[in-house]
Amino acid sequence: MRVRAKGSPGRRPLARSPSRKAAATPAAVTLHNEDVAAAFDEMADLLAIEGENAFRIRAYRRAAQTIRGLSRELAAMQGTEAFAELPGIGADLAGKIGELLQTGHCQALERQRRRIPSAVRDLLGLPGLGPVRVRALFKAGKVRNIDDLARALAGNRLDGLKGFGSGIRARLNAALAERAKQSQRRVPLFVAAQYAKPLREFLQALPGVDRVEVAGSYRRGRDTVGDLDVLLCASARIDLGTALKRYPDLERLTASGETKASGTLRNGLQVDFRVLKPQSFGSALHYFTGSRDHNIHIRRRAQEHGYKLSEYGLFKGNRRIAGKTEEGLFAALGLDWIPPELREDRGEVEAAAAHALPRLIEVTDLRGDLHVHTRASDGSNSLQEMAAAARGRGLSYVAITDHAEHVGVTHGLDAERLAQQIDEIDELNEGCADFTVLKGAEVDILEDGSLALPDAVLRRLDIVIVAVHTQFALSADKQTARILRALERPCVSVLAHPFGRLLGERPPCALDFERVLEAARQRPCYLEINAQPARLDLDDVHAKAAHDHGVRISIASDAHSTDQLDVIQYGVRQARRAWLTRDDVLNARPLGQLRELLGRTRR
DNA sequence: GCCGTTTTCGGCCCGACTGTTTTCAGTCG
């Protein structure tokens, strides 16, 4: 199912500082796709709160979704005509994209913001609050933000307000309490990358800078990133502060010294900069990549060898033993180089000492993608376009897995339409020797564990993906029983996005994962790492648990458009964090082996 | 606001669930 953004609290889409407002055309600010998408989402939210035409609102949301799925930057495209060729973007929205890119602003959005303060949108992120109740709060209750809501609830000022019975009020109180507990907001890796890549390029081009790396959890490929740790290698002194003031994505420079600076990007992400000499760069890269627990383990090992380890190098007394490169540092400690994704102190140091680190899977190891959608359900491209795009990316197969009919929103296939699609795929495969389209479906697991399509229909498919799309809040017992019952069915190949989480929006469902793993192992059936940036589900920890339990993994893009096929790289990052090798991943197998393995999932 | 076995404007996704009601509106996916 598509992941719909319901508000996007915490994100500040556009430059709104006075200096930028006054900026002349063309904009001093280059907007990224995420900025434009966030502007359209904001517009959609504000229109919804106003009670605007639902289809107009949907048009903005659809455009935002299209933009988020692009693998190329809008700013690099050839103007409004090219924008209007994108699905769901017509003349009007293409013009607004152009306006945003040119000026950094959208007048229609500015007008909307004058009618409804943008902080009102944050209310949409709370459970039970949709546009109608938010409008009621704003108009009748004078609630303009989440703090106002908390005060109104505390002062019993919502009692008697239509639509705010005791049930809703209790839910809101619980949600606010939970919110207060949450620490600093982290952004998905995919979003962080949109800011980190251009920042790195900007710094790399500065005179005197030899090398730039973004370290921290970003380099380790964690699903979310709390801040960016940027390391610059420079042999001579550089004036970092002055250079950073010219960087348009940087909203504030909070500290600026000779070797250290800090600031905040326009999307709210904190960035810490460190300037290092070449002889220390490797040890600094290691130190700032972390994780903290990994570093503690490595420092302890250094001590055991009679060394002292810091970001400046590995020392014996005052003599530097290593520090120029990470490889040299690890080698001096008797260790193989450890890929950043493994540096969580989950056994990687011992494995490196025993020269037993796995050769982690890479994007280029993948032979196919086993979960993509077409226009037949909720995708944007045709079967032919998805197949051609997958082939163009060097894959040798792709499984078309449109939704079965149960999920209303996704315009799912019934048995008849699925049969039509099967015929279409057969026809497509006939004229093609070096690429194969596999017949599949993503079938809903209903609340009682039954599937949304009958076995007789599923038997005609090469691959059947099952997934939970509703009722995420069941107890662990019920949710587990539901999934186990689905896995009993004769034609189940893959359990997709097993926990149903959406980063920052929906927590993982309660599940007795051990029992699911055991059922998957015995059956056998595969578990998916869904690479959609907001899902990354299985996460690294559960994917490793699956691996340790002998359950194999499918890494899938869940692409809803040709552009989205590229997000599979984020699934691969999670697989690497789970210690997976090529052999552990179903879709790293050549077609013949894949068919054989899928055949074993049949009963 | 987009789209079109299109040419000018009507159709656009809809069922399940929840909470608030007393037959339904709003939320969610």
Side-chain angles (χ1 to χ4, degrees):
Chain A
M1 179 181 295
R2 275 183 186 275
V3 180
R4 185 180 69 84
K6 187 202 170 200
S8 42
R11 225 178 257 151
R12 274 170 290 157
L14 298 175
R16 267 175 275 157
S17 64
S19 61
R20 291 213 173 86
K21 250 185 181 163
T25 310
V29 178
T30 303
L31 293 190
H32 301 295
N33 291 357
E34 177 56 33
D35 299 316
V36 178
F40 284 175
D41 267 338
E42 183 179 353
M43 189 72 176
D45 285 345
L46 295 178
L47 291 172
I49 294 169
E50 283 232 292
E52 248 288 350
N53 178 326
F55 298 108
R56 187 171 168 225
I57 294 160
R58 191 177 307 158
Y60 278 100
R61 292 209 196 283
R62 176 153 187 247
Q65 208 159 33
T66 295
I67 291 165
R68 287 208 171 84
L70 294 176
S71 57
R72 56 195 190 283
E73 286 280 343
L74 288 167
M77 291 172 64
Q78 298 300 312
T80 49
E81 279 180 22
F83 304 147
E85 282 175 16
L86 297 168
I89 292 172
D92 183 274
L93 292 183
K96 288 194 169 80
I97 294 173
E99 183 191 355
L100 279 163
L101 294 178
Q102 283 273 314
T103 68
H105 300 279
C106 169
Q107 288 189 20
L109 177 57
E110 301 293 334
R111 274 198 300 276
Q112 211 57 38
R113 282 175 178 160
R114 285 195 285 273
R115 300 162 70 93
I116 298 176
S118 275
V120 175
R121 296 173 68 212
D122 294 345
L123 297 166
L124 289 172
L126 295 170
L129 289 191
V132 175
R133 289 199 179 101
V134 169
R135 182 164 65 245
L137 285 172
F138 179 58
K139 301 275 184 206
K142 307 274 190 284
V143 173
R144 300 164 69 90
N145 53 49
I146 288 183
D147 290 339
D148 286 351
L149 176 65
R151 279 190 288 272
L153 281 166
N156 298 323
R157 280 190 280 119
L158 298 186
D159 300 13
L161 184 60
K162 191 169 178 292
F164 288 85
S166 58
I168 288 273
R169 296 202 309 271
R171 266 176 88 186
L172 289 173
N173 273 316
L176 290 177
E178 183 58 33
R179 213 183 130 84
K181 274 191 278 174
Q182 273 184 9
S183 56
Q184 195 191 356
R185 177 169 290 272
R186 298 175 67 89
V187 304
L189 182 61
F190 171 80
V191 174
Q194 290 188 26
Y195 288 85
K197 285 176 184 169
L199 174 60
R200 190 176 167 192
E201 282 167 21
F202 170 82
L203 295 170
Q204 191 79 65
L206 294 177
V209 173
D210 302 331
R211 184 179 167 193
V212 180
E213 292 290 343
V214 182
S217 51
Y218 179 81
R219 182 163 180 248
R220 302 202 309 280
R222 270 197 62 176
D223 49 13
T224 59
V225 171
D227 58 13
L228 294 177
D229 299 294
V230 181
L231 306 185
L232 296 91
C233 183
S235 351
R237 189 181 171 280
I238 57 166
D239 187 356
L240 182 61
T242 305
L244 286 174
K245 282 178 193 152
R246 293 205 319 270
Y247 188 62
D249 272 354
L250 196 75
E251 188 163 84
R252 263 199 322 277
L253 196 59
T254 49
S256 175
E258 199 164 312
T259 63
K260 216 171 155 178
S262 295
T264 311
L265 296 181
R266 281 187 291 117
N267 70 340
L269 201 59
Q270 158 100 18
V271 193
D272 296 315
F273 303 89
R274 292 291 295 255
V275 183
L276 293 134
K277 297 266 187 284
Q279 61 267 31
S280 295
F281 196 75
S283 48
L285 183 57
H286 176 260
Y287 180 87
F288 288 105
T289 296
S291 65
R292 186 174 152 272
D293 290 345
H294 167 90
N295 284 356
I296 289 170
H297 196 151
I298 295 285
R299 268 206 302 277
R300 201 170 60 223
R301 189 176 173 91
Q303 272 177 356
E304 287 163 9
H305 282 68
Y307 302 140
K308 184 173 79 80
L309 177 62
S310 73
E311 64 261 51
Y312 298 108
L314 183 69
F315 295 91
K316 177 120 189 168
N318 288 329
R319 190 164 59 91
R320 186 193 308 270
I321 306 291
K324 193 173 181 189
T325 66
E326 275 193 347
E327 287 82 354
L329 172 64
F330 281 116
L333 294 171
L335 300 171
D336 291 342
W337 180 78
I338 301 174
E341 291 93 336
L342 296 186
R343 300 183 195 170
E344 300 290 343
D345 197 26
R346 296 178 191 155
E348 74 278 7
V349 180
E350 292 85 349
H355 308 294
L357 285 168
R359 181 207 162 277
L360 299 180
I361 182 147
E362 292 173 20
V363 174
T364 49
D365 289 327
L366 297 181
R367 304 293 183 90
D369 195 332
L370 296 177
H371 183 168
V372 315
H373 296 269
T374 75
R375 269 208 286 271
S377 63
D378 60 344
S380 304
N381 291 95
S382 68
L383 165 59
Q384 290 77 6
E385 288 164 346
M386 292 305 287
R391 189 181 184 187
R393 282 161 173 76
L395 298 178
S396 55
Y397 53 83
V398 67
I400 302 295
T401 55
D402 276 311
H403 291 280
E405 64 184 335
H406 182 72
V407 187
V409 64
T410 53
H411 184 50
L413 274 63
D414 56 18
E416 193 180 334
R417 290 181 61 217
L418 187 56
Q420 274 174 16
Q421 191 182 62
I422 288 173
D423 292 341
E424 226 180 308
I425 291 174
D426 282 335
E427 213 170 291
L428 193 60
N429 280 331
E430 256 173 44
C432 189
D434 62 346
F435 186 83
T436 302
V437 181
L438 296 165
K439 291 163 262 187
E442 180 180 6
V443 187
D444 267 26
I445 302 176
L446 307 183
E447 192 186 344
D448 64 356
S450 60
L451 298 183
L453 281 177
D455 292 336
V457 177
L458 301 183
R459 282 190 194 287
R460 293 192 61 196
L461 300 171
D462 299 310
I463 180 168
V464 174
I465 292 177
V466 296
V468 166
H469 288 110
T470 52
Q471 295 287 100
F472 296 101
L474 297 182
S475 69
D477 277 352
K478 282 188 180 162
Q479 197 69 270
T480 307
R482 172 191 194 182
I483 288 175
L484 293 185
R485 179 153 178 241
L487 296 188
E488 284 291 304
R489 291 287 291 273
C491 298
V492 173
S493 321
V494 178
L495 174 63
H497 45 76
F499 284 88
R501 72 164 180 175
L502 293 179
L503 290 170
E505 276 191 53
R506 184 170 64 213
C509 66
L511 207 57
D512 185 341
F513 193 53
E514 288 284 309
R515 290 180 63 202
V516 172
L517 284 181
E518 183 53 22
R521 190 183 65 81
Q522 283 188 10
R523 194 179 190 290
C525 145
Y526 296 86
L527 297 194
E528 180 185 83
I529 293 179
N530 187 293
Q532 285 289 310
R535 288 194 186 273
L536 299 179
D537 174 18
L538 297 172
D539 65 15
D540 54 346
V541 172
H542 289 102
K544 184 162 194 304
H547 172 248
D548 293 345
H549 204 93
V551 175
R552 284 220 189 91
I553 296 290
S554 163
I555 305 174
S557 71
D558 194 359
H560 286 70
S561 66
T562 53
D563 275 312
Q564 282 187 3
L565 287 167
D566 295 321
V567 304
I568 207 161
Q569 61 183 298
Y570 294 97
V572 172
R573 291 303 294 282
Q574 298 313 302
R576 289 170 63 84
R577 289 178 55 78
W579 293 58
L580 300 191
T581 69
R582 188 168 54 186
D583 292 341
D584 303 317
V585 174
L586 180 61
N587 49 316
R589 302 288 178 129
L591 182 66
Q593 282 184 29
L594 174 83
R595 282 197 188 279
E596 197 209 318
L597 290 170
L598 286 176
R600 286 191 214 161
T601 64
R602 297 303 178 94
R603 286 185 182 156

